[in-house]
Amino acid sequence: MNEQERDEEEVLEAPVRGSADELLDAGAHDPIDAMRHSAAHVMAEAVLDLFPGARLGIGPAIANGFYYDFDLPRPLTPDDLEAIEARMRESVAAGHAFVRREIALADARAAAHGAGQAYKVEILDDLEAKAVAAGEPTPVTSFFEHAAFSDLCKGPHVEHTGRIGPFRLLSVAGAYWRGDEKRPMLQRVYGTVWATQEELDLYLWRRAEAKKRDHRRLGVQLDLFSFSDVSPGSAFWHPRGQRIWRTLEAAMRELQAERGYEEISTPILVHKKLWQQSGHWDLYAENMFRLESEGQEFSLKPMNCPESTVVYRSRLRSYRDLPIRYSEFGRLHRNERSGSLSGLTRVRQFIQDDAHVYVRPDQLSAEIEAMLREVREAYSWFGLQPRFAFATKPDKALGDPALWERAEGLIRVALDRSGADYVVKPKDGTFYAPKIDIYIDDALGREWQMATIQVDLVMLPERFDLSYIDETGQPQRPIAIHRAIYGSLERFIGIILEHFAGALPLWVAPVQAVIIPIADRHLEAAGELAAVMRARGLRVEVDGSDGRMQNKIRLAQEQKVPYMIVLGDREVGDRTASPRTRAGVQQPAVHWEDLAARLAAQASARRPD
RNA sequence: GCCGACAUAGCUCAGCGGUAGAGCAGCUGUUUCGUAAACAGCAGGUCCUCGGUUCAAAUCCGAGUGUCGGCUCCA
């Protein structure tokens, strides 16, 4: 973008007072967003051309592209997308200028009404209502026109349609008008547009790459887990997937033991009276699987927290006992809506590396700092860089505001003292607790929310009437911290599978080495080497099939096994091995014991490869 | 839950009114091999389920289930 264009953009950016930012082009700050938003206009032009009666919803710029919502007489097909795209290319080739016009709201509404654009009428009504509510005069609206197309819009846009870069329509999906499931469902067409062909190609390549390393595909290819319609939304873990699971669990148990956590285990099937006390029966009922026995109503637990209080309250607690740190790899069930289930990342049954820590107020800050160290430690095992977000008190919150203020102050101190770089997300806490959410960016630049640390002053302490006895013999209220580091193990495994494209670091790889005898006469030695390595705790397999060595290497590569160890006459003779890494590097021959010791040390170091 | 698409061998997919196919994997045999695919043969299917249209349905229609892309939801 040159200087002239930038100047024009600023002119075009003249704000419309009272505009409904959430519906018009909120967030169109990046220069490429003007191009993306312009592409949305051109798409709407094309759709109106092909479907003259189409009604328009909204069409903003989004990350990587744009969309526009349409109300159409019939569902769009892939052929329609091609036709729309072709029509868009004509408009781009014609280089129609984008012209901004100001129109009195009443005139705009009359025009929209006359054109049958009911959704636009609604937006205009809202603009007016908002201004009235604010005691402001009725605003003037801005429209952007190009060719025969005109749309209510704050802008900015590019100079003319010819400035729109290489684009591609991607998909069509249903979307509720204004995101409200009680309102009509429109057809949302997604597209992507970039400044250069290279960027478009790169984006499309990344999409294809993401699809290739989709954990659902890798789960089949690596024989880790599967799904079945006998239990939708719940994974069946195969032996190799279960090994990953156990490895992650063992690592977390070790970390937790060092930090003074004690593991508990509580029932999955729980009487409704517990959920009534915790508030879940009212607030979370639709997500709970409920069942009845002998006239009593039960639920499969969707969370571990309420039951941890049963253990806490099993005896009187002294101030000397705190902090009490209960960890639990609890198996949870949540009745997610069928349409939202997705692989390992959205499931109905999962296990969290959950913990509930009960502290005195004066211990809170130090405990949070220690938890932040836990997060950094655990993520360093995968080479992941955690990013922190501090979510504060929402408008709808339980408990004494003074307590909230104190808790937030302590969280802030802990965050600052830990040297963490963090953003504040105002009013994004839960109704019972301010929290620290932890995010990572994976190898494809996608953001994932992983761990969470919630400081609960209300739900567990108040509703379950928790107490400890202080120095003066008086009962005091503890604070409960809810904490998960992997979050859901299912989800975490799905994410690291995609992050590493299935080539998990040595320490978590379900098979760490495959021993490949060249001929049958090397089979016995292969078994001996496997025994040497297994004695060091390494997960080793022998490929004793009658295939050729080259093919065995190929299969091991496909299984992303970190080390392949070919055994032939040379190696068997002097009991050495020359491992090949999955990166294709041939390492020098060493004696079996030395190799086993080296790999075992490498695995126990728990580092990304 | 809602909108749309999809469901064929263990896996990846072709076939789209007229006898169910390929590659890989599996099994058997031959081969005993030096760092990403040896050769041959065999076997493998309620074409997701139920119902309808038709002389005839994997194929067309309807319902259900599951999955995928979104929307909604996500303590």
Side-chain angles (χ1 to χ4, degrees), chain A residues 105-142:
Chain A
L105 196 146
D107 297 341
R109 179 166 44 212
H113 191 76
Q117 293 294 348
Y119 302 105
K120 296 296 182 188
V121 172
E122 185 176 328
I123 294 171
L124 290 163
D125 285 345
D126 281 5
L127 285 175
E128 183 170 34
K130 212 170 178 180
V132 169
E136 293 170 1
T138 304
V140 170
T141 62
S142 69

Side-chain angles (χ1 to χ4, degrees), chain A residues 264-270 274-275 278 280 284 288 300-312 326-334 350-356 358 432 459-460 464 482-484 487-489:
Chain A
I264 64 173
S265 178
T266 65
I268 290 173
L269 187 62
V270 188
L274 183 84
W275 309 116
S278 70
H280 288 87
Y284 207 69
M288 304 200 337
L300 300 179
K301 65 175 173 182
M303 300 182 198
N304 298 307
C305 25
E307 285 190 294
S308 83
T309 67
V310 175
V311 181
Y312 182 92
Y326 291 141
S327 66
E328 176 167 17
F329 291 91
R331 183 174 297 251
L332 307 180
H333 291 81
R334 296 183 187 178
F350 59 98
I351 298 182
Q352 281 183 332
D353 62 326
D354 208 358
H356 297 91
Y358 298 91
Y432 59 84
M459 186 174 76
L460 299 186
F464 289 92
H482 308 235
R483 174 240 75 165
S488 139
L489 270 287

Side-chain angles (χ1 to χ4, degrees), chain A residues 55-75:
Chain A
R55 287 193 287 186
L56 305 181
I58 59 167
I62 54 173
N64 304 321
F66 59 93
Y67 69 79
Y68 213 115
D69 288 344
F70 304 103
D71 192 350
L72 297 168
R74 65 167 174 84

